Amino acid sequence: MISKKITAAITAVCGYVPEDKLTNFDLEKMVDTNDEWIRTRTGIVERRILKGENKATSDMVVPAVKQLLEKRGMNPLDIECLIVATVTPDMVFPATANIACDKLGAKNAWGFDISAACSGFLYALTLGATLIESGRYKKIVVAGADKMSAIIDYTDRNTCVLFGDGAGAVLLEPNHDGYGILDSLLKSDGSGAEYLHMKAGGSLKPATMETVTNKEHFAFQDGQPVFKAAVKGMADVSAELLERNDLTGDDIAWLVPHQANLRIIDATANRIGLPKEKVMINIQKYGNTTAATIPLCLWEWKHELNKGDNIVLAAFGGGFTWGATLVKWEY
């Protein structure tokens, strides 16, 4: 008997965003900016902020994964592996995935974090799909989550208007009918690190009184080089992914882009020939939640998805990292 190829299908998607909102009008009182400037240049109106003592990224991962389990009628003990994409781990070590597994009671799972900035979810999704395709695993949870408010300087108008907090997660299970993760094209270029990074806190420049005083533990971004690279990177990789799979924009039901900037999203959609009506957007509500943007879009728009839909996930992140993934929706 010839068995069909195993693919990793997304069988559930859930998200979590904190209750507290930070609006453009709130930011007007904090830095020299205004609502119109932010909306016209980024498309962002408000973002969510995780407040409260001892609240960390794992505290957003856990409710998102709990929803997944409830949706699929699963027990935490059913999870075999949890992969968390984040640049804001609870702590340098242990991994946020391990902390989340403990909070969930997922005692049979192993897990790890992956750091690829805004492309982190795509990187993690490809890794999770590979584990399923190997035939060794049947229940893999992939989460993208970031508490960006923890590393943003709210006196820096170049960055504080862009980012918010949130988490999204998907469940991957084996499929033998051709649904799921069909192809991924992932790229990186470390020469872009100078334009988007955190200056201190790693082994290169450990924390000192001086680094704290100089605000070097916040995200630093040189906007123009990042914007230009993101427009080209996301658009090019999405077009290349379609070309190597003999597809055109007419074959794609939805583009699910990283929510960093509306102009970057529009450029990517135009490059692969998709109208705005086929593009998932929620940047106006959440801002840039880094690794969480794509799963949060899938969560919010899941009712618009139909079995068999071809969708393209595309992202660009600091470092630089970027990529696109082709998915045939399973439910």
Side-chain angles (χ1 to χ4, degrees), residues 42 58 65 70 74 76 89 132-133 160 165-166 176 199 208 218 220 223 260:
T42 69
S58 66
V65 176
E70 183 178 342
M74 287 171 50
I132 294 288
E133 290 164 4
C160 72
D165 303 339
H176 297 275
K199 295 180 179 180
T208 63
F218 294 121
F220 166 82

Side-chain angles (χ1 to χ4, degrees), residues 9-82:
I10 296 173
T11 57
V13 57
C14 290
Y16 174 84
V17 290
E19 293 182 1
D20 287 292
K21 297 178 181 179
L22 181 66
T23 69
N24 292 347
F25 297 106
D26 293 327
L27 286 167
E28 286 181 353
K29 302 170 187 176
M30 299 164 63
V31 291
D32 183 16
T33 191
N34 61 73
D35 173 64
E36 182 184 6
W37 188 93
I38 298 170
R39 279 189 293 105
T40 55
R41 285 164 178 77
T42 69
I44 302 169
V45 177
E46 62 186 32
R47 64 288 292 148
R48 301 296 182 97
I49 304 296
L50 182 64
K51 294 184 178 180
E53 193 173 350
N54 298 322
K55 293 292 185 181
T57 296
S58 66
D59 294 302
M60 296 186 290
V61 172
V62 168
V65 176
K66 282 184 175 178
Q67 290 178 59
L68 278 184
L69 297 175
E70 183 178 342
K71 189 171 184 179
R72 291 293 290 167
M74 287 171 50
N75 186 291
L77 298 176
D78 296 329
I79 301 173
E80 295 173 275
C81 179
L82 171 62

Side-chain angles (χ1 to χ4, degrees), residues 40-41 136 156 162 206-207 209 221 244 254 326:
T40 55
R41 285 164 178 77
R136 294 185 60 184
D156 176 12
L162 301 174
M209 288 295 294
Q221 176 171 290
R244 82 176 191 179
W254 293 98
L326 176 64

Side-chain angles (χ1 to χ4, degrees), residues 22 60 62 90 153 229 257 276 314 316 327:
L22 181 66
M60 296 186 290
V62 168
D90 286 25
D153 177 3
K276 282 190 174 182
F316 186 94
V327 179

Side-chain angles (χ1 to χ4, degrees), residues 13-238:
V13 57
C14 290
Y16 174 84
V17 290
E19 293 182 1
D20 287 292
K21 297 178 181 179
L22 181 66
T23 69
N24 292 347
F25 297 106
D26 293 327
L27 286 167
E28 286 181 353
K29 302 170 187 176
M30 299 164 63
V31 291
D32 183 16
T33 191
N34 61 73
D35 173 64
E36 182 184 6
W37 188 93
I38 298 170
R39 279 189 293 105
T40 55
R41 285 164 178 77
T42 69
I44 302 169
V45 177
E46 62 186 32
R47 64 288 292 148
R48 301 296 182 97
I49 304 296
L50 182 64
K51 294 184 178 180
E53 193 173 350
N54 298 322
K55 293 292 185 181
T57 296
S58 66
D59 294 302
M60 296 186 290
V61 172
V62 168
V65 176
K66 282 184 175 178
Q67 290 178 59
L68 278 184
L69 297 175
E70 183 178 342
K71 189 171 184 179
R72 291 293 290 167
M74 287 171 50
N75 186 291
L77 298 176
D78 296 329
I79 301 173
E80 295 173 275
C81 179
L82 171 62
I83 307 172
V84 176
T86 186
V87 292
T88 56
D90 286 25
M91 54 189 75
V92 175
F93 68 89
T96 301
N98 292 356
I99 296 170
C101 282
D102 179 57
K103 291 179 178 180
L104 287 162
K107 298 186 181 299
N108 294 328
W110 61 287
F112 59 95
D113 295 353
I114 182 168
S115 177
C118 302
S119 306
F121 180 76
L122 291 191
Y123 277 39
L125 190 66
T126 298
L127 284 170
T130 302
L131 293 176
I132 294 288
E133 290 164 4
S134 74
R136 294 185 60 184
Y137 299 94
K138 293 180 171 57
K139 308 283 186 188
I140 304 290
V141 175
V142 177
D146 273 298
K147 184 185 176 184
M148 292 303 294
S149 62
I151 61 169
I152 294 300
D153 177 3
Y154 285 94
T155 65
D156 176 12
R157 67 175 183 174
N158 294 318
T159 56
C160 72
V161 303
L162 301 174
F163 296 96
D165 303 339
V170 299
L171 176 65
L172 296 179
E173 297 184 84
N175 186 275
H176 297 275
D177 299 314
Y179 297 100
I181 316 303
L182 302 185
D183 194 13
S184 287
L185 192 56
L186 306 175
K187 297 182 180 284
S188 66
D189 179 3
S191 67
E194 65 177 293
Y195 304 116
L196 183 50
H197 64 280
M198 186 185 291
K199 295 180 179 180
S203 60
L204 175 65
K205 197 172 188 181
T208 63
M209 288 295 294
E210 183 180 7
T211 64
V212 173
T213 301
N214 292 338
K215 296 184 175 182
E216 295 181 1
H217 296 270
F218 294 121
F220 166 82
Q221 176 171 290
D222 187 349
Q224 277 304 310
V226 174
F227 176 80
K228 290 178 182 178
V231 168
K232 185 177 189 323
M234 270 179 63
D236 284 357
V237 78
S238 298

Side-chain angles (χ1 to χ4, degrees), residues 261-277:
N261 184 300
L262 267 182
R263 291 180 291 176
I264 299 172
I265 293 171
D266 289 342
T268 303
N270 290 337
R271 179 66 186 278
I272 61 176
L274 283 183
K276 282 190 174 182
E277 294 75 26

